[in-house]
Amino acid sequence: MNINLTLIGQTIAFAIFVWFCMKFVWPPLTSAMQERQKKIAEGLDAAGRAERDLHLAQERAAQLLRESKEQASAIIDRANKTANSIVEEAKTQARTEGEKLIAAAKVEIDLEVNRAKDQLRAQVAVLAVVGAEKILESSIDGAAHNELVAKLASQL
Amino acid sequence: MANTPSEYIQHHLQNLVYGEHPEKGWILAQTPEEVAQMGFWAVHVDTMGWSVFMGLIFLGLFRLAANKATTGIPGGLQNMAEMAIEFVQGIVKDTFHGRNALVAPLALTIFVWVLLMNSLKWIPVDYIPGLASLLGLPYFKIVPTADPNGTFGIALGVFILIIFYSIKVKGLGGFTKELSFTPFNHWALIPFNLFLEIIGLLTKPLSLALRLFGNMYAGEVVFILIALLPFYLQFGLNVPWAIFHILVIPLQAFIFMVLTVVYLSAAHEDHH
């Protein structure tokens, strides 16, 4: 348990160990740690930035959505208006067309009626003559009474 | 080997000494008397061997970690090394206020090395001496920090650094002035101040070395005493004492490191 040369040997060993640690152990490990710290800090920073970006993008998307909704409703409004006006137009057109058709039909009907009346008149004249012949049992000079019958027919 | 309990204890507290015997030349001492005759010119082979071995384990492991160090996800070894480094860095940052690239690696070396040397105490007291006696070695004491040479060797290194940095930072004049004029700033009290300060200075390595040595030596003696008991009693005492050393061993390494940092910090402080 006495002090001897071991003391010096131990001091020398200690000095060598400290030197080695300072030269070859401490710097690479601490620099690796610092670098990792930096990397982590950068990573966190990037994550923060990304979050901010995401927030902005979300806001933009919401705004776009709002705008497009407004546009869509405006378009729908416009379309509705157009459709209404087209329908109105169609209605009026149809009405005028219908009226025109009705008018044409009336004209035709009138014409038909007149023609039928003319035919009837002609036939009535013949019938009247035939009837009169039957009544008189004698022949009548057609030529002499034609004028009389025509006058009668025109009064129908 | 030993027969009586006192011989057994003495045997376990005797280092393996290689030195210059006045009559027999350079030999391995076989008896305590031979050791006493060798005087200063002798080496504790076991203390030197185990302390250097522990130092190599420390540096080997940490160098391996440093070689493989990545900035990505660290592996187990690198994790362990980084934990130790961060722990020491925290202590140094809190305690040491100067700028010195030496202090933190120094503190790391002291902490891990002393921790490893202390932890040799967990090896049961008869294993290594028994093995050594099979190899024909008369003595073998494996805990380098239970040898005053081991602890004083480290403390001497710290003391040299304290003196070196005191003179480097304050200058030889400044350092002398600090020793002469504190605590009483009066010329008439210079001898008294010098006496106080030099004692204070010398106390630093003494307290470092003796605290570690005392703790380790006492623990060792208790382990040896327990080993003298009948084997069915040993278990009940040995286990709690070994578990208690889970606290003592790192604590002593930690105290040695912190005090070293504190002393070096004081050496760097310039009061003028």
Side-chain angles (χ1 to χ4, degrees):
Chain A
M1 218 187 87
N2 30 13
I3 295 291
N4 56 26
L5 214 53
T6 316
L7 178 78
I8 311 295
Q10 192 80 359
T11 310
I12 293 168
F14 175 54
I16 292 171
F17 289 155
V18 171
W19 169 79
F20 187 89
C21 179
M22 189 179 150
K23 224 38 185 196
F24 301 109
V25 171
W26 190 266
L29 280 171
T30 46
S31 71
M33 283 158 74
Q34 269 169 5
E35 207 144 310
R36 183 174 326 113
Q37 264 175 358
K38 216 165 68 187
K39 259 167 77 174
I40 290 170
E42 278 166 8
L44 286 175
D45 206 38
R49 256 201 319 276
E51 207 176 348
R52 226 170 21 249
D53 285 354
L54 177 70
H55 200 66
L56 283 178
Q58 271 174 343
E59 249 170 39
R60 241 178 77 79
Q63 203 189 337
L64 276 177
L65 199 66
R66 219 165 31 241
E67 275 174 16
S68 51
K69 264 184 190 159
E70 276 166 18
Q71 272 178 357
S73 66
I75 288 170
I76 288 171
D77 277 356
R78 208 140 21 113
N80 275 342
K81 242 178 253 168
T82 318
N84 281 341
S85 68
I86 288 170
V87 168
E88 283 303 315
E89 211 172 309
K91 271 183 186 164
T92 48
Q93 221 168 14
R95 203 173 294 133
T96 48
E97 200 75 20
E99 277 165 6
K100 235 184 263 170
L101 279 175
I102 290 167
K106 270 183 182 159
V107 170
E108 199 135 341
I109 288 166
D110 284 348
L111 279 176
E112 278 307 312
V113 167
N114 284 343
R115 210 173 323 151
K117 272 180 184 168
D118 284 347
Q119 273 177 359
L120 277 174
R121 235 174 254 138
Q123 279 172 5
V124 165
V126 175
L127 278 174
V129 172
V130 173
E133 267 175 3
K134 289 253 172 89
I135 292 164
L136 298 173
E137 288 288 319
S138 60
S139 86
I140 299 164
D141 186 5
H145 300 288
N146 238 2
E147 205 182 328
L148 179 76
V149 173
K151 211 184 273 171
L152 185 73
S154 73
Q155 280 168 357
L156 281 171
Chain B
M1 282 284 284
N3 301 315
T4 66
S6 81
E7 276 177 14
Y8 177 83
I9 294 171
Q10 272 176 1
H11 172 266
H12 275 70
L13 291 179
Q14 175 60 51
N15 285 96
L16 179 66
V17 185
Y18 179 75
E20 191 183 22
H21 192 268
E23 288 149 33
K24 301 174 186 166
W26 287 90
I27 52 155
L28 277 174
Q30 299 294 323
T31 59
E33 290 74 40
E34 280 184 353
V35 172
Q37 284 163 347
M38 282 172 181
F40 184 77
W41 295 103
V43 176
H44 290 170
V45 180
D46 41 9
T47 299
M48 276 314 293
W50 281 99
S51 61
V52 169
F53 180 48
M54 288 297 124
L56 291 180
I57 287 180
F58 155 58
L59 290 175
L61 280 178
F62 276 65
R63 179 65 193 157
L64 197 67
N67 274 342
K68 288 195 200 156
T70 65
T71 55
I73 300 160
L77 186 65
Q78 196 188 343
N79 235 334
M80 178 216 64
E82 287 187 3
M83 265 168 68
I85 282 180
E86 268 183 350
F87 174 66
V88 171
Q89 251 179 348
I91 305 277
V92 171
K93 207 174 278 173
D94 288 343
T95 318
F96 185 79
H97 302 300
R99 280 182 152 274
N100 193 333
L102 173 75
V103 172
L106 175 83
L108 178 73
T109 308
I110 287 177
F111 179 63
V112 182
W113 190 32
V114 172
L115 182 75
L116 285 173
M117 290 196 288
N118 287 353
S119 63
L120 287 170
K121 262 176 88 168
W122 276 314
I123 298 175
V125 285
D126 276 334
Y127 277 23
I128 305 291
L131 213 64
S133 78
L134 285 181
L135 292 171
L137 301 171
Y139 302 105
F140 215 87
K141 197 175 145 202
I142 60 167
V143 186
T145 45
D147 176 357
N149 287 293
T151 59
F152 273 107
I154 307 172
L156 180 65
V158 173
F159 184 61
I160 291 168
L161 286 175
I162 292 173
I163 302 288
F164 174 74
Y165 281 114
S166 291
I167 292 173
K168 193 185 168 197
V169 172
K170 299 159 192 168
L172 192 58
F175 185 42
T176 324
K177 219 165 128 190
E178 190 184 278
L179 290 182
S180 313
F181 287 101
T182 46
F184 303 110
N185 193 4
H186 191 275
W187 60 268
L189 285 166
I190 285 177
F192 182 68
N193 286 338
L194 271 178
F195 174 71
L196 270 188
E197 285 292 299
I198 286 171
I199 290 220
L201 200 63
L202 291 175
T203 310
K204 289 173 178 178
L206 270 177
S207 74
L208 274 180
L210 285 180
R211 178 180 299 106
L212 182 59
F213 163 68
N215 274 284
M216 292 301 118
Y217 188 77
E220 187 88 342
V221 169
V222 173
F223 270 123
I224 293 168
L225 290 177
I226 292 170
L228 281 169
L229 293 170
F231 74 95
Y232 50 86
L233 285 179
Q234 286 186 19
F235 175 79
L237 290 170
N238 215 343
V239 169
W241 190 237
I243 290 172
F244 177 60
H245 275 77
I246 293 175
L247 181 68
V248 172
I249 284 170
L251 185 70
Q252 289 305 323
F254 175 73
I255 289 173
F256 203 110
M257 174 191 76
V258 170
L259 284 181
T260 301
V261 176
V262 169
Y263 292 157
L264 283 177
S265 176
H268 280 74
E269 263 161 32
D270 203 344
H271 298 294
H272 305 287

